[in-house]
Amino acid sequence: MTGEQSRDVTRLPCWVGGREVTDGPSFDKISPVDGSLVATVTEAGQETVDAAVAAARRALDAGWATSPVGQRGALLRRIADRIDERFDDLVAAEMRDTGKPLSLVRELDVARAAMNFRSFADTIAAEGMDSYLTDLADGRKALNYAVSKPVGVVAVIVPWNLPLLLLTWKVAPALACGNAVVVKPSEETPSSATLLAEIMAEAGVPDGVYNVVHGFGPGSAGELITTHRGIDAVTFTGETSTGSAIMRAVAPRVRPVSFELGGKNPAVVFADTDLERTLDGLARSTFLNTGQVCLATERIYVERPIFDDVAAGLAERARKLRLGRPEDPATTTGPLISVGHRTKVRSYLDLAVAEGAEVLTGGGVPDLGADLDGGAWIEPTLWTGLDNTHRTVREEIFGPVAALIPFDDEEEAVRLANDTDYGLAAAVWTQNLERGHRVAQRMRVGMAWVNTWYLRDLRSPFGGTGLSGIGREGGRHSLHFYSEPTNVCIQL
Ligand code: NAD
């Protein structure tokens, strides 16, 4: 895994048709660690977005859309190999943009990026042809088969919390199915998507198959891409309100959307649970990536007999987290993504207190010394004393924050956990296996874990219900979104 930096990483271009584009205005990417300038980023205007969509269309027409599946699978593996070779460059890019601890970026973000491409190379190879013989009611017989084709030019819009992981989770299946993509990374994390453009070129991906347009949402690259006539589908991960705006933007042209949106995820802890293992699991599900994971636990329902033990044990683990510079091996917890996001998280901490919360630990901005004063630091925070009627227990905060709430029996636990407009993920902690299955199946969510959290087989369906999204990603579930079947029927 040798690092090789081939260009100035402090100036980030858009990437269109295999070429860098630096025309037009630019914006600054600021470090969440200390407020320093990370990079100056070219912002895509109408002209660049038009050029990106046209480049994608040309690539499809030049043969990418009809290229053999085996060839595309081999290319996906070459991209994964090249990600491994440039592992250190990608780690540095993600760390610069997000301030995440080194170990997290290495073990989760960048490792998963390579795995995403390998997983979809396997999935596309395993996808068989769909054909069937029919006897129709009037006595005629027919042979039906379905030909899978790419949808076309897909807009890929992703957030800042797991930038490369979430980007490649969409780009890998899109390319596996023969689509061309126009990617809009978050304005907060432009680096790794730009570096991936180099990696794609090095791996031999045809020009125009992978394009990057940088910028913001409304009035910028995000809106320009979702309202563009040349886009055939939109896949989006981000906030629920943004998903709603994108749905309105594509509605006049009736384009398919795949949405992975926000969550307000519950954990349900029964009194028979293995306490130490559960506390470790809850600490991870609440504080990993400074709580900036869509699957993160923000509501913890605990059976009353062990409520005080869980509250005390989790608060102790929260206090042990080490906030600090990402490259320091002792660091467990980085900053929030930006000072702006911290303002939002802090407003929820203030609101919780106003609603009557009893703060168990945290609740403020830590003093980490003058050189980190400009960063977006926040203390891991837990509180009790609120219930499902309070805004802070209903709205997604997206920080290292959870509310602990007691319950008395299984029915009440299920009712409280499901009492939300979101429906992304849930975790059930119990030593009673039957109850684990039973309660997990009753969770109104896309993903329910028992005695673990965020354990993923990439072929299993990923996504949410309610305000948490539309559709599922993962394995063949992704292939369904990124391909369009044409049924051919022959009378025999
Ligand atoms: P966001 O919705 O603010 O931004 C996401 C992306 O959309 C960014 O690239 C942004 O520039 C773009 N965007 C914003 N407004 C737009 C518009 N009107 N048109 C087109 N594009 C627009 O989300 P965020 O703050 O970057 O990310 C945090 C959110 O993402 C949280 O709500 C979190 O739960 C969610 N998320 C969900 C999942 C999941 O799989 N369900 C995974 C990660 C994050």
Side-chain angles (χ1 to χ4, degrees):
M1 296 184 205
T2 52
E4 51 181 271
Q5 214 67 81
S6 56
R7 75 180 155 75
D8 178 2
V9 295
T10 64
R11 305 196 72 80
L12 299 177
C14 293
W15 198 275
V16 173
R19 291 199 168 68
E20 296 187 6
V21 175
T22 51
D23 303 342
S26 60
F27 61 92
D28 289 343
K29 161 60 196 166
I30 301 297
S31 167
V33 175
D34 55 12
S36 60
L37 179 70
V38 170
T40 307
V41 188
T42 303
E43 183 178 357
Q46 187 71 58
E47 211 176 301
T48 304
V49 171
D50 285 349
V53 175
R57 183 71 58 197
R58 271 198 310 276
L60 291 169
D61 294 346
W64 173 251
T66 49
S67 57
V69 166
Q71 197 176 307
R72 292 203 298 267
L75 190 52
L76 258 57
R77 287 184 204 288
R78 281 208 297 282
I79 297 169
D81 292 346
R82 193 66 192 143
I83 287 175
D84 285 347
E85 284 159 21
R86 300 202 63 183
F87 194 88
D88 294 341
D89 294 341
L90 287 164
V91 167
E94 290 288 76
M95 246 168 48
R96 274 196 306 276
D97 280 359
T98 63
K100 292 177 195 223
L102 176 64
S103 55
L104 185 64
V105 182
R106 291 182 70 89
E107 284 155 31
L108 179 64
D109 297 80
V110 183
R112 248 297 289 280
M115 214 186 288
N116 283 341
F117 283 102
R118 293 201 175 99
S119 169
F120 282 107
D122 290 345
T123 303
I124 195 76
E127 189 72 353
M129 183 129 78
D130 203 359
S131 69
Y132 47 99
L133 284 166
T134 42
D135 277 315
L136 300 175
D138 61 6
R140 284 181 296 175
K141 291 183 186 302
L143 168 65
N144 282 275
Y145 63 91
V147 182
S148 277
K149 299 175 192 161
V151 179
V153 179
V154 180
V156 178
I157 303 176
V158 282
W160 43 258
N161 64 321
L162 299 163
L164 186 65
L165 187 161
L166 292 171
L167 174 69
T168 51
W169 181 234
K170 293 174 182 300
V171 169
L175 266 50
C177 294
N179 298 281
V181 295
V182 179
V183 162
K184 216 288 291 162
S186 167
E187 54 275 28
E188 293 290 353
T189 49
S191 296
S192 53
T194 313
L195 186 44
L196 189 64
E198 283 182 30
I199 288 172
M200 293 276 179
E202 290 159 0
V205 174
D207 289 350
V209 169
Y210 176 85
N211 306 278
V212 182
V213 293
H214 289 297
F216 303 84
S220 181
E223 186 178 332
L224 291 173
I225 197 72
T226 52
T227 52
H228 203 286
R229 299 185 63 80
I231 290 296
D232 298 304
V234 179
T235 177
F236 168 74
T237 298
E239 276 191 18
T240 298
S241 59
T242 310
S244 173
I246 291 175
M247 221 166 168
R248 286 194 297 276
V250 301
R253 286 157 303 110
V254 199
R255 293 294 182 263
V257 292
S258 169
F259 283 168
E260 302 292 352
L261 308 177
K264 186 74 182 176
N265 310 299
V268 178
V269 184
F270 289 96
D272 64 10
T273 197
D274 174 337
L275 190 60
E276 288 305 304
R277 181 177 166 194
T278 304
L279 289 169
D280 289 344
L282 289 174
R284 189 168 159 266
S285 73
T286 305
F287 301 123
L288 185 81
N289 203 30
T290 318
Q292 302 165 121
V293 181
C294 55
L295 309 165
T297 303
E298 290 195 6
R299 299 181 288 143
I300 304 176
Y301 300 100
V302 187
E303 201 165 4
R304 207 174 293 274
I306 61 163
F307 185 83
D308 290 345
D309 292 340
V310 170
L314 194 56
E316 189 193 333
R317 279 164 172 77
R319 283 190 284 270
K320 279 191 182 148
L321 294 171
R322 277 280 302 273
L323 279 58
R325 286 201 170 270
E327 56 279 5
D328 180 346
T331 298
T332 60
T333 308
L336 293 169
I337 188 65
S338 65
V339 170
H341 184 50
R342 183 175 64 180
T343 304
K344 174 188 158 191
V345 172
R346 289 188 73 185
S347 75
Y348 276 109
L349 303 188
D350 293 344
L351 177 62
V353 172
E355 287 177 328
E358 181 198 332
V359 178
L360 292 172
T361 187
V365 171
D367 181 1
L368 299 173
D371 63 327
L372 297 186
D373 260 2
W377 300 94
I378 191 107
E379 288 174 339
T381 300
L382 297 167
W383 61 65
T384 62
L386 302 183
D387 60 32
N388 282 12
T389 62
H390 293 102
R391 268 186 61 200
T392 49
V393 184
R394 303 204 69 82
E395 296 175 16
E396 182 186 52
I397 299 173
F398 219 55
V401 179
L404 287 99
I405 298 167
F407 69 84
D408 287 306
D409 59 36
E410 190 177 308
E411 277 309 307
E412 187 188 13
V414 170
R415 184 174 55 73
L416 291 174
N418 284 341
D419 175 23
T420 173
D421 296 325
Y422 289 102
L424 192 57
V428 182
W429 299 89
T430 177
Q431 300 236 55
N432 178 334
L433 196 57
E434 289 161 19
R435 175 152 65 191
H437 280 285
R438 192 168 59 230
V439 173
Q441 288 180 27
R442 290 183 69 191
M443 294 288 103
R444 200 181 50 78
V445 293
M447 292 154 289
W449 283 284
V450 180
N451 294 334
T452 187
W453 173 81
Y454 199 3
L455 181 63
R456 292 271 304 129
D457 179 325
L458 299 187
R459 295 164 299 183
S460 61
F462 183 99
T465 65
L467 292 187
S468 292
I470 297 176
R472 293 292 183 276
E473 298 183 324
R476 63 189 164 80
H477 306 280
S478 293
L479 302 191
H480 290 159
F481 179 73
Y482 293 108
S483 55
E484 197 89 78
T486 297
N487 182 68
V488 178
C489 177
I490 302 155
Q491 189 177 345
L492 298 180

